[in-house]
Amino acid sequence: MRCEQEVNRALGRYADTVRRICMIHLKNYADVEDIFQTVFLKYLVSPVVFESEEHEKAWMIRVTINACRDLLRSFFRSRTVALDDLIEQPSALAPEHREVLDAILSLPKKYRDVVYLHYYEGYTAPQIGRILGKNPNTVYTHLTRSKQLLRDRLGGDEDA
């Protein structure tokens, strides 16, 4: 079990990343908070010794993605309807940011993770491949296809 200082350090470093990944997958604040707690509880009790900060960050991302997928596949989740789907909430985002976020969230699931890790976290395709357990060429293909889908949805330039 890790000490309180280690957990607090990890919270400071990875809290935003974990929350953003959860929001991309779950699109629900309450579920995001549940998975956030789950991820850091797993970190607290994990016996894994990290080789570097990069290894630790990759572990956090992988555990977060897996926890989100587990929740989405759960029996309970498949039998419920989110309140957000029932009640339309006004968005706190600017309209142009909302449009981009909606476009990213409307991407097929296999593209969302790659887009997030590349554009928001700054990982390269080989690094993303290691994190997600995919071939780097597959990651490059997903990035290319996702950019084209976003271009089509947002009306971007062909040369961008």
Side-chain angles (χ1 to χ4, degrees):
M1 204 157 120
R2 301 186 194 284
C3 70
E4 185 178 350
Q5 289 174 330
E6 282 183 275
V7 175
N8 286 337
R9 181 193 51 77
L11 275 165
R13 277 196 184 138
Y14 307 117
D16 289 339
T17 299
V18 169
R19 278 198 175 97
R20 286 190 299 249
I21 291 170
C22 288
M23 190 54 83
I24 285 173
H25 283 273
L26 305 173
K27 303 172 197 131
N28 176 315
Y29 182 74
D31 289 340
V32 167
E33 289 304 309
D34 286 345
I35 297 302
F36 180 85
Q37 289 178 10
T38 300
V39 168
F40 283 98
L41 181 61
K42 285 181 181 183
Y43 178 80
L44 173 71
V45 299
S46 173
V48 175
V49 176
F50 300 107
E51 299 166 9
S52 64
E53 283 184 30
E54 194 62 32
H55 179 217
E56 184 178 47
K57 185 174 183 180
W59 184 91
M60 284 286 195
I61 290 169
R62 183 76 259 156
V63 168
T64 302
I65 290 170
N66 287 342
C68 290
R69 287 179 180 167
D70 289 346
L71 178 66
L72 292 171
R73 281 191 292 240
S74 73
F75 177 80
F76 174 76
R77 177 71 179 219
S78 66
R79 304 293 190 268
T80 60
V81 177
L83 288 176
D84 294 341
D85 294 341
L86 298 175
I87 303 169
E88 189 171 308
Q89 296 178 343
S91 175
L93 293 174
E96 62 275 6
H97 294 157
R98 185 76 211 169
E99 183 181 5
V100 172
L101 178 62
D102 288 343
I104 291 171
L105 292 175
S106 71
L107 288 173
K109 189 171 178 2
K110 63 184 176 182
Y111 298 145
R112 270 183 264 152
D113 289 335
V114 172
V115 167
Y116 174 78
L117 291 173
H118 183 69
Y119 292 104
Y120 289 90
E121 293 297 325
Y123 282 104
T124 64
Q127 290 171 323
I128 295 169
R130 282 191 299 277
I131 291 170
L132 298 178
K134 296 181 187 244
N135 184 308
N137 289 332
T138 302
V139 173
Y140 285 121
T141 300
H142 287 183
L143 282 170
T144 301
R145 289 179 182 166
S146 64
K147 280 194 270 188
Q148 186 58 51
L149 287 170
L150 289 171
R151 227 181 257 125
D152 293 346
R153 289 184 181 140
L154 299 171
D157 295 338
E158 288 299 316
D159 296 333

